[in-house]
Amino acid sequence: MGDRVRARGRRTGVLLAIVLLATAGSAGAHPLALVGRAAAAVEPRFDPARPERGPLPSDRLTLADAAQRTGLRVALPLPDCALQPSTCDDVHLLNELDGFDLSPRLAVAFSGPIDPASVTVRSLFLVRLAPGPPEAMAVDRLVYDPGSQTLYARPETLLEPETRYGLVVTRELRDVQGRPLRPSAAFRGFLRRRAGPPAVQDYRRRLNALMAALDRRGVREETVTVAAVFTTASVTTFLEHARDALERRPPPPAVMTAPEGGGRAYFPRATLKGLVLRRQVRVALEAPDAFQDGPLSLAALPPDAVAGVGVGWYWSPAYLTRDRRIVEAATARPQPAAPGDVPLPFVIVLPAGSRPPEGWPVAIMGHGYGGEMFSSALRIAGVLARHGIATAAVTVVGHGGGPEGRLIVERTDGAPLEVRVPGRGIDLNGDGKIDATEGLSPPTPGPLALVGLRDGLRQQVVDLMAFARALKAGLDVDGDGMPDTRGDAISYVGQSLGGIYGTLFLAVDPRLRVGVLNVPGGPIAEVARLSPVFRPALRRVLEGRTPSLLNAEDGFREDLPLRGDPPVVSPAPGALAVQEYLARAEWLARRGDPVAYARYLRASPLLGQEPKRVLIQFAWGDAVVPNPTTSALVRAGQLSDATALLRYDRVAGSVPKELAEPHGFLLRIGAPGAAGTLARAAQEQVARFFLSEGVEVWNPDTGASPPAREPVFEIPAAGLPDRPGFAPTQ
């Protein structure tokens, strides 16, 4: 980006000066006074204990804490909590963390106007403070606010957790006149001063260590105008502790009978006429609309491929509190045991044919947002069954309705049966209803709203780790006294939200070696911001804050550039507050963010684990989990060669209008025309990937009947799309 930005520098500088003059005039300042200030030498501001001056982030805004893996804890100053109660709640939560975000919102304030087009890897960069010469890392997604004369940016690549970094600004950065910056006098004075409290002296030592590291790289001290040192937070600690607890005390084997008694809930495919999921949607069971029936399709379960469908139970540690929070210990201390274990139902679909002596291998299916275990599993189980793979699934935290849910089994050989299948939703907001995803995250508005999906997703990963161990001994599904499944051959396929929490599952659990992540993406806040499906929910979150962050007639305007975009200059009023909220949401949710876990899949496995064999499937123009968020995950995990990109834009004209949005392409089995063909092809790709133990990625375009005349599967992806891409409505 550097050469391109530098070439635009002088023109952008002139335009910026015009914007500044206009801004000053509208605010009542005399334009000539501003010109006079611009004529003076510009230098960065330096006051690391004051976030409004910075630079940020800074370890000066932390406290020493030996109980944390990083040796510190965040200590941001609180705002006026009477005037900004929502921000006050945010800061209290952030101050529990043991470091800064892996993609922090970098901020540098200046004494006068600067030219953001002069930002290059030589003028503003990050360095990793580790043994050896530090390599410069570029920044991107620039925003410049002329009012506060502050430049904001993000690292071009995700940073490593539990690692110290330096933020450096050199004289290569220019003011609007094209002149080099003047070194900050306050910064130079701080480096040379000796007095001060222990925390100040410690931060001074860190800055001087950074300057020494830069000198080894050939960056002379006199060229550095200002710098900051910060430490990134840990990410995986809780899930590693929860996994180790399951290893020390494994759950009992899964069973095919309900905990409260009753017969085996297994139904041969030949006897199944229909399945209906009766979800509890109101707390008051006597209400006429307390339940909602949803027919489940059996069309994707051909009798010649599927032997039968069963409902079983297992036990999982329950870490999630009523307010949707996981109470964690300090990261260097052992995690407290879960308050107790809870029984959870699961669905399992067996293949037809002769069972292998060791039993059928099992693929765990992770369903998407708003769904439940039956719908997704039944749509993919048929193709997997044809390849001799059983399919199992568990309902996600907060999904599936209330605890009085039932599965109505319509049979050809008898009267309908009811099987108790409690959902995992709860009424959090007290309105008497149990919405489709109520219970996955804290209610909004509320003091824990910024936690978002983080802890609900981590609880789901714990549930999946417990499920994998509950299947270890093999499971007698049909009741003939012989195990039908293998406990040592478990793979994973997750769709949408299932791909998101599935990334965490695959990264943390050594029992999983092979997995397919279909249309995943992150961070969650970025998914919500870019998705026309979830953006209205983000609007409600911003509206519910005190004070409200809505800043536009149609909701909110954040003025955030995408990766590789030119700088945003003079963002709209209120946009910086929205940007700050989004950055904090990403920071606080990072422990449950798939982008943060992607590096552990293959590039840098967690201690004691082998690299996982993983396949990423996503579609061009996805409007639910937009392409830039999937590209971020692929890039963070260095998984470009393990990615299959479906060019849905090449077939959208031949599918029904209601299927023009590609997000659900994997599960559209049985859909007419190209949509159904693509679903079968994508599921076949999953099955063959599992059969090869993750070694081979089948390309449907090379088959006898490719999905379209023009190749539609890029394997590996020719490039990672960093724009929302194809618009299905056009």
PDB file of all heavy atoms in Angstrom, residues 434-464:
ATOM      1  N   ILE A 434     -39.476 -17.193  24.618  1.00  0.00           N
ATOM      2  CA  ILE A 434     -38.158 -17.808  24.446  1.00  0.00           C
ATOM      3  C   ILE A 434     -37.843 -17.731  22.962  1.00  0.00           C
ATOM      4  O   ILE A 434     -38.322 -18.554  22.166  1.00  0.00           O
ATOM      5  CB  ILE A 434     -38.137 -19.264  24.949  1.00  0.00           C
ATOM      6  CG1 ILE A 434     -38.576 -19.320  26.410  1.00  0.00           C
ATOM      7  CG2 ILE A 434     -36.732 -19.844  24.803  1.00  0.00           C
ATOM      8  CD1 ILE A 434     -38.734 -20.734  26.949  1.00  0.00           C
ATOM      9  N   ASP A 435     -37.098 -16.717  22.589  1.00  0.00           N
ATOM     10  CA  ASP A 435     -36.808 -16.491  21.178  1.00  0.00           C
ATOM     11  C   ASP A 435     -35.793 -17.514  20.650  1.00  0.00           C
ATOM     12  O   ASP A 435     -35.169 -18.255  21.415  1.00  0.00           O
ATOM     13  CB  ASP A 435     -36.299 -15.071  20.973  1.00  0.00           C
ATOM     14  CG  ASP A 435     -37.378 -14.030  21.266  1.00  0.00           C
ATOM     15  OD1 ASP A 435     -38.559 -14.345  21.039  1.00  0.00           O
ATOM     16  OD2 ASP A 435     -37.034 -12.930  21.739  1.00  0.00           O
ATOM     17  N   ALA A 436     -35.590 -17.498  19.348  1.00  0.00           N
ATOM     18  CA  ALA A 436     -34.827 -18.556  18.678  1.00  0.00           C
ATOM     19  C   ALA A 436     -33.391 -18.670  19.162  1.00  0.00           C
ATOM     20  O   ALA A 436     -32.811 -19.755  19.144  1.00  0.00           O
ATOM     21  CB  ALA A 436     -34.849 -18.321  17.167  1.00  0.00           C
ATOM     22  N   THR A 437     -32.784 -17.560  19.605  1.00  0.00           N
ATOM     23  CA  THR A 437     -31.390 -17.601  20.062  1.00  0.00           C
ATOM     24  C   THR A 437     -31.244 -17.030  21.471  1.00  0.00           C
ATOM     25  O   THR A 437     -30.130 -16.716  21.891  1.00  0.00           O
ATOM     26  CB  THR A 437     -30.477 -16.822  19.099  1.00  0.00           C
ATOM     27  OG1 THR A 437     -30.889 -15.439  19.074  1.00  0.00           O
ATOM     28  CG2 THR A 437     -30.539 -17.376  17.697  1.00  0.00           C
ATOM     29  N   GLU A 438     -32.349 -16.911  22.196  1.00  0.00           N
ATOM     30  CA  GLU A 438     -32.306 -16.268  23.516  1.00  0.00           C
ATOM     31  C   GLU A 438     -31.628 -17.190  24.525  1.00  0.00           C
ATOM     32  O   GLU A 438     -32.097 -18.300  24.792  1.00  0.00           O
ATOM     33  CB  GLU A 438     -33.712 -15.910  23.975  1.00  0.00           C
ATOM     34  CG  GLU A 438     -33.733 -14.977  25.174  1.00  0.00           C
ATOM     35  CD  GLU A 438     -35.118 -14.451  25.482  1.00  0.00           C
ATOM     36  OE1 GLU A 438     -36.081 -14.873  24.798  1.00  0.00           O
ATOM     37  OE2 GLU A 438     -35.241 -13.614  26.395  1.00  0.00           O
ATOM     38  N   GLY A 439     -30.543 -16.732  25.076  1.00  0.00           N
ATOM     39  CA  GLY A 439     -29.759 -17.523  26.009  1.00  0.00           C
ATOM     40  C   GLY A 439     -28.356 -17.784  25.530  1.00  0.00           C
ATOM     41  O   GLY A 439     -27.531 -18.321  26.277  1.00  0.00           O
ATOM     42  N   LEU A 440     -28.042 -17.398  24.295  1.00  0.00           N
ATOM     43  CA  LEU A 440     -26.672 -17.551  23.798  1.00  0.00           C
ATOM     44  C   LEU A 440     -25.773 -16.446  24.321  1.00  0.00           C
ATOM     45  O   LEU A 440     -24.596 -16.672  24.605  1.00  0.00           O
ATOM     46  CB  LEU A 440     -26.672 -17.550  22.264  1.00  0.00           C
ATOM     47  CG  LEU A 440     -25.298 -17.623  21.587  1.00  0.00           C
ATOM     48  CD1 LEU A 440     -24.570 -18.910  21.971  1.00  0.00           C
ATOM     49  CD2 LEU A 440     -25.441 -17.528  20.066  1.00  0.00           C
ATOM     50  N   SER A 441     -26.310 -15.237  24.480  1.00  0.00           N
ATOM     51  CA  SER A 441     -25.504 -14.091  24.898  1.00  0.00           C
ATOM     52  C   SER A 441     -26.277 -13.274  25.919  1.00  0.00           C
ATOM     53  O   SER A 441     -27.499 -13.433  26.056  1.00  0.00           O
ATOM     54  CB  SER A 441     -25.150 -13.230  23.691  1.00  0.00           C
ATOM     55  OG  SER A 441     -26.319 -12.759  23.044  1.00  0.00           O
ATOM     56  N   PRO A 442     -25.595 -12.383  26.651  1.00  0.00           N
ATOM     57  CA  PRO A 442     -26.299 -11.545  27.635  1.00  0.00           C
ATOM     58  C   PRO A 442     -27.333 -10.661  26.956  1.00  0.00           C
ATOM     59  O   PRO A 442     -27.203 -10.314  25.779  1.00  0.00           O
ATOM     60  CB  PRO A 442     -25.173 -10.710  28.251  1.00  0.00           C
ATOM     61  CG  PRO A 442     -23.926 -11.477  27.998  1.00  0.00           C
ATOM     62  CD  PRO A 442     -24.139 -12.164  26.684  1.00  0.00           C
ATOM     63  N   PRO A 443     -28.374 -10.278  27.706  1.00  0.00           N
ATOM     64  CA  PRO A 443     -29.407  -9.422  27.102  1.00  0.00           C
ATOM     65  C   PRO A 443     -28.863  -8.042  26.783  1.00  0.00           C
ATOM     66  O   PRO A 443     -27.933  -7.556  27.416  1.00  0.00           O
ATOM     67  CB  PRO A 443     -30.488  -9.350  28.186  1.00  0.00           C
ATOM     68  CG  PRO A 443     -29.783  -9.655  29.461  1.00  0.00           C
ATOM     69  CD  PRO A 443     -28.682 -10.607  29.108  1.00  0.00           C
ATOM     70  N   THR A 444     -29.449  -7.439  25.757  1.00  0.00           N
ATOM     71  CA  THR A 444     -29.076  -6.089  25.343  1.00  0.00           C
ATOM     72  C   THR A 444     -30.306  -5.192  25.466  1.00  0.00           C
ATOM     73  O   THR A 444     -31.380  -5.554  24.982  1.00  0.00           O
ATOM     74  CB  THR A 444     -28.604  -6.094  23.884  1.00  0.00           C
ATOM     75  OG1 THR A 444     -27.473  -6.961  23.785  1.00  0.00           O
ATOM     76  CG2 THR A 444     -28.200  -4.713  23.433  1.00  0.00           C
ATOM     77  N   PRO A 445     -30.217  -3.999  26.084  1.00  0.00           N
ATOM     78  CA  PRO A 445     -29.010  -3.460  26.718  1.00  0.00           C
ATOM     79  C   PRO A 445     -28.775  -4.099  28.076  1.00  0.00           C
ATOM     80  O   PRO A 445     -29.670  -4.709  28.655  1.00  0.00           O
ATOM     81  CB  PRO A 445     -29.332  -1.977  26.857  1.00  0.00           C
ATOM     82  CG  PRO A 445     -30.816  -1.944  27.006  1.00  0.00           C
ATOM     83  CD  PRO A 445     -31.344  -3.066  26.149  1.00  0.00           C
ATOM     84  N   GLY A 446     -27.559  -3.931  28.606  1.00  0.00           N
ATOM     85  CA  GLY A 446     -27.206  -4.480  29.896  1.00  0.00           C
ATOM     86  C   GLY A 446     -25.727  -4.339  30.136  1.00  0.00           C
ATOM     87  O   GLY A 446     -24.957  -4.106  29.193  1.00  0.00           O
ATOM     88  N   PRO A 447     -25.271  -4.476  31.372  1.00  0.00           N
ATOM     89  CA  PRO A 447     -23.860  -4.255  31.685  1.00  0.00           C
ATOM     90  C   PRO A 447     -22.921  -5.266  31.053  1.00  0.00           C
ATOM     91  O   PRO A 447     -21.725  -5.007  30.934  1.00  0.00           O
ATOM     92  CB  PRO A 447     -23.823  -4.341  33.217  1.00  0.00           C
ATOM     93  CG  PRO A 447     -25.043  -5.110  33.600  1.00  0.00           C
ATOM     94  CD  PRO A 447     -26.070  -4.756  32.577  1.00  0.00           C
ATOM     95  N   LEU A 448     -23.447  -6.435  30.633  1.00  0.00           N
ATOM     96  CA  LEU A 448     -22.602  -7.459  30.017  1.00  0.00           C
ATOM     97  C   LEU A 448     -22.790  -7.533  28.511  1.00  0.00           C
ATOM     98  O   LEU A 448     -22.299  -8.457  27.872  1.00  0.00           O
ATOM     99  CB  LEU A 448     -22.908  -8.830  30.631  1.00  0.00           C
ATOM    100  CG  LEU A 448     -22.558  -9.011  32.109  1.00  0.00           C
ATOM    101  CD1 LEU A 448     -23.014 -10.378  32.588  1.00  0.00           C
ATOM    102  CD2 LEU A 448     -21.063  -8.854  32.333  1.00  0.00           C
ATOM    103  N   ALA A 449     -23.482  -6.570  27.923  1.00  0.00           N
ATOM    104  CA  ALA A 449     -23.804  -6.638  26.497  1.00  0.00           C
ATOM    105  C   ALA A 449     -22.557  -6.747  25.631  1.00  0.00           C
ATOM    106  O   ALA A 449     -22.564  -7.410  24.590  1.00  0.00           O
ATOM    107  CB  ALA A 449     -24.625  -5.422  26.086  1.00  0.00           C
ATOM    108  N   LEU A 450     -21.464  -6.106  26.034  1.00  0.00           N
ATOM    109  CA  LEU A 450     -20.256  -6.115  25.215  1.00  0.00           C
ATOM    110  C   LEU A 450     -19.623  -7.501  25.147  1.00  0.00           C
ATOM    111  O   LEU A 450     -18.841  -7.786  24.240  1.00  0.00           O
ATOM    112  CB  LEU A 450     -19.238  -5.110  25.768  1.00  0.00           C
ATOM    113  CG  LEU A 450     -18.137  -4.655  24.802  1.00  0.00           C
ATOM    114  CD1 LEU A 450     -18.738  -3.859  23.653  1.00  0.00           C
ATOM    115  CD2 LEU A 450     -17.081  -3.826  25.522  1.00  0.00           C
ATOM    116  N   VAL A 451     -19.967  -8.390  26.093  1.00  0.00           N
ATOM    117  CA  VAL A 451     -19.446  -9.759  26.048  1.00  0.00           C
ATOM    118  C   VAL A 451     -19.908 -10.457  24.774  1.00  0.00           C
ATOM    119  O   VAL A 451     -19.203 -11.276  24.190  1.00  0.00           O
ATOM    120  CB  VAL A 451     -19.896 -10.541  27.304  1.00  0.00           C
ATOM    121  CG1 VAL A 451     -19.567 -12.016  27.172  1.00  0.00           C
ATOM    122  CG2 VAL A 451     -19.244  -9.957  28.546  1.00  0.00           C
ATOM    123  N   GLY A 452     -21.102 -10.136  24.317  1.00  0.00           N
ATOM    124  CA  GLY A 452     -21.617 -10.697  23.077  1.00  0.00           C
ATOM    125  C   GLY A 452     -21.759 -12.210  23.147  1.00  0.00           C
ATOM    126  O   GLY A 452     -22.178 -12.774  24.156  1.00  0.00           O
ATOM    127  N   LEU A 453     -21.385 -12.876  22.054  1.00  0.00           N
ATOM    128  CA  LEU A 453     -21.523 -14.327  21.960  1.00  0.00           C
ATOM    129  C   LEU A 453     -20.358 -15.077  22.587  1.00  0.00           C
ATOM    130  O   LEU A 453     -20.361 -16.311  22.610  1.00  0.00           O
ATOM    131  CB  LEU A 453     -21.634 -14.748  20.486  1.00  0.00           C
ATOM    132  CG  LEU A 453     -22.708 -14.077  19.624  1.00  0.00           C
ATOM    133  CD1 LEU A 453     -22.722 -14.707  18.242  1.00  0.00           C
ATOM    134  CD2 LEU A 453     -24.078 -14.164  20.256  1.00  0.00           C
ATOM    135  N   ARG A 454     -19.359 -14.365  23.081  1.00  0.00           N
ATOM    136  CA  ARG A 454     -18.090 -14.982  23.491  1.00  0.00           C
ATOM    137  C   ARG A 454     -18.269 -16.190  24.402  1.00  0.00           C
ATOM    138  O   ARG A 454     -17.781 -17.292  24.105  1.00  0.00           O
ATOM    139  CB  ARG A 454     -17.217 -13.947  24.192  1.00  0.00           C
ATOM    140  CG  ARG A 454     -15.844 -14.450  24.612  1.00  0.00           C
ATOM    141  CD  ARG A 454     -15.165 -13.483  25.570  1.00  0.00           C
ATOM    142  NE  ARG A 454     -15.805 -13.486  26.882  1.00  0.00           N
ATOM    143  CZ  ARG A 454     -15.478 -12.649  27.875  1.00  0.00           C
ATOM    144  NH1 ARG A 454     -14.553 -11.725  27.672  1.00  0.00           N
ATOM    145  NH2 ARG A 454     -16.091 -12.731  29.044  1.00  0.00           N
ATOM    146  N   ASP A 455     -18.959 -16.017  25.521  1.00  0.00           N
ATOM    147  CA  ASP A 455     -19.011 -17.087  26.508  1.00  0.00           C
ATOM    148  C   ASP A 455     -19.990 -18.187  26.119  1.00  0.00           C
ATOM    149  O   ASP A 455     -19.759 -19.363  26.428  1.00  0.00           O
ATOM    150  CB  ASP A 455     -19.349 -16.513  27.882  1.00  0.00           C
ATOM    151  CG  ASP A 455     -18.202 -15.688  28.448  1.00  0.00           C
ATOM    152  OD1 ASP A 455     -17.127 -15.663  27.822  1.00  0.00           O
ATOM    153  OD2 ASP A 455     -18.377 -15.056  29.501  1.00  0.00           O
ATOM    154  N   GLY A 456     -21.070 -17.812  25.423  1.00  0.00           N
ATOM    155  CA  GLY A 456     -21.969 -18.840  24.921  1.00  0.00           C
ATOM    156  C   GLY A 456     -21.270 -19.759  23.932  1.00  0.00           C
ATOM    157  O   GLY A 456     -21.456 -20.985  23.958  1.00  0.00           O
ATOM    158  N   LEU A 457     -20.450 -19.190  23.063  1.00  0.00           N
ATOM    159  CA  LEU A 457     -19.714 -20.012  22.092  1.00  0.00           C
ATOM    160  C   LEU A 457     -18.686 -20.884  22.790  1.00  0.00           C
ATOM    161  O   LEU A 457     -18.481 -22.052  22.415  1.00  0.00           O
ATOM    162  CB  LEU A 457     -19.043 -19.115  21.060  1.00  0.00           C
ATOM    163  CG  LEU A 457     -19.973 -18.314  20.139  1.00  0.00           C
ATOM    164  CD1 LEU A 457     -19.169 -17.510  19.137  1.00  0.00           C
ATOM    165  CD2 LEU A 457     -20.947 -19.237  19.414  1.00  0.00           C
ATOM    166  N   ARG A 458     -18.032 -20.346  23.814  1.00  0.00           N
ATOM    167  CA  ARG A 458     -17.038 -21.163  24.524  1.00  0.00           C
ATOM    168  C   ARG A 458     -17.711 -22.301  25.299  1.00  0.00           C
ATOM    169  O   ARG A 458     -17.159 -23.409  25.374  1.00  0.00           O
ATOM    170  CB  ARG A 458     -16.195 -20.287  25.439  1.00  0.00           C
ATOM    171  CG  ARG A 458     -15.281 -19.341  24.674  1.00  0.00           C
ATOM    172  CD  ARG A 458     -14.220 -18.734  25.569  1.00  0.00           C
ATOM    173  NE  ARG A 458     -14.793 -17.860  26.591  1.00  0.00           N
ATOM    174  CZ  ARG A 458     -14.088 -17.324  27.583  1.00  0.00           C
ATOM    175  NH1 ARG A 458     -12.790 -17.593  27.699  1.00  0.00           N
ATOM    176  NH2 ARG A 458     -14.670 -16.519  28.464  1.00  0.00           N
ATOM    177  N   GLN A 459     -18.887 -22.051  25.865  1.00  0.00           N
ATOM    178  CA  GLN A 459     -19.621 -23.144  26.502  1.00  0.00           C
ATOM    179  C   GLN A 459     -19.979 -24.210  25.478  1.00  0.00           C
ATOM    180  O   GLN A 459     -19.890 -25.410  25.759  1.00  0.00           O
ATOM    181  CB  GLN A 459     -20.888 -22.619  27.172  1.00  0.00           C
ATOM    182  CG  GLN A 459     -21.749 -23.710  27.807  1.00  0.00           C
ATOM    183  CD  GLN A 459     -21.065 -24.425  28.943  1.00  0.00           C
ATOM    184  OE1 GLN A 459     -20.668 -23.813  29.933  1.00  0.00           O
ATOM    185  NE2 GLN A 459     -20.912 -25.742  28.825  1.00  0.00           N
ATOM    186  N   GLN A 460     -20.350 -23.788  24.267  1.00  0.00           N
ATOM    187  CA  GLN A 460     -20.666 -24.764  23.237  1.00  0.00           C
ATOM    188  C   GLN A 460     -19.454 -25.612  22.881  1.00  0.00           C
ATOM    189  O   GLN A 460     -19.580 -26.817  22.631  1.00  0.00           O
ATOM    190  CB  GLN A 460     -21.203 -24.051  21.988  1.00  0.00           C
ATOM    191  CG  GLN A 460     -21.643 -24.973  20.872  1.00  0.00           C
ATOM    192  CD  GLN A 460     -22.833 -25.834  21.269  1.00  0.00           C
ATOM    193  OE1 GLN A 460     -23.560 -25.499  22.199  1.00  0.00           O
ATOM    194  NE2 GLN A 460     -23.030 -26.929  20.572  1.00  0.00           N
ATOM    195  N   VAL A 461     -18.282 -25.011  22.869  1.00  0.00           N
ATOM    196  CA  VAL A 461     -17.065 -25.778  22.595  1.00  0.00           C
ATOM    197  C   VAL A 461     -16.817 -26.791  23.717  1.00  0.00           C
ATOM    198  O   VAL A 461     -16.437 -27.940  23.455  1.00  0.00           O
ATOM    199  CB  VAL A 461     -15.859 -24.835  22.416  1.00  0.00           C
ATOM    200  CG1 VAL A 461     -14.568 -25.631  22.278  1.00  0.00           C
ATOM    201  CG2 VAL A 461     -16.057 -23.943  21.199  1.00  0.00           C
ATOM    202  N   VAL A 462     -17.037 -26.384  24.962  1.00  0.00           N
ATOM    203  CA  VAL A 462     -16.930 -27.335  26.072  1.00  0.00           C
ATOM    204  C   VAL A 462     -17.900 -28.492  25.864  1.00  0.00           C
ATOM    205  O   VAL A 462     -17.546 -29.671  26.046  1.00  0.00           O
ATOM    206  CB  VAL A 462     -17.199 -26.630  27.419  1.00  0.00           C
ATOM    207  CG1 VAL A 462     -17.274 -27.656  28.551  1.00  0.00           C
ATOM    208  CG2 VAL A 462     -16.118 -25.603  27.715  1.00  0.00           C
ATOM    209  N   ASP A 463     -19.127 -28.186  25.457  1.00  0.00           N
ATOM    210  CA  ASP A 463     -20.131 -29.228  25.226  1.00  0.00           C
ATOM    211  C   ASP A 463     -19.680 -30.193  24.130  1.00  0.00           C
ATOM    212  O   ASP A 463     -19.903 -31.412  24.228  1.00  0.00           O
ATOM    213  CB  ASP A 463     -21.470 -28.599  24.845  1.00  0.00           C
ATOM    214  CG  ASP A 463     -22.053 -27.737  25.952  1.00  0.00           C
ATOM    215  OD1 ASP A 463     -21.674 -27.928  27.125  1.00  0.00           O
ATOM    216  OD2 ASP A 463     -22.864 -26.850  25.636  1.00  0.00           O
ATOM    217  N   LEU A 464     -19.063 -29.669  23.092  1.00  0.00           N
ATOM    218  CA  LEU A 464     -18.595 -30.531  22.004  1.00  0.00           C
ATOM    219  C   LEU A 464     -17.404 -31.373  22.445  1.00  0.00           C
ATOM    220  O   LEU A 464     -17.283 -32.550  22.058  1.00  0.00           O
ATOM    221  CB  LEU A 464     -18.234 -29.687  20.785  1.00  0.00           C
ATOM    222  CG  LEU A 464     -19.417 -29.021  20.071  1.00  0.00           C
ATOM    223  CD1 LEU A 464     -18.922 -28.095  18.967  1.00  0.00           C
ATOM    224  CD2 LEU A 464     -20.366 -30.064  19.496  1.00  0.00           C
TER     225      LEU A 464
END
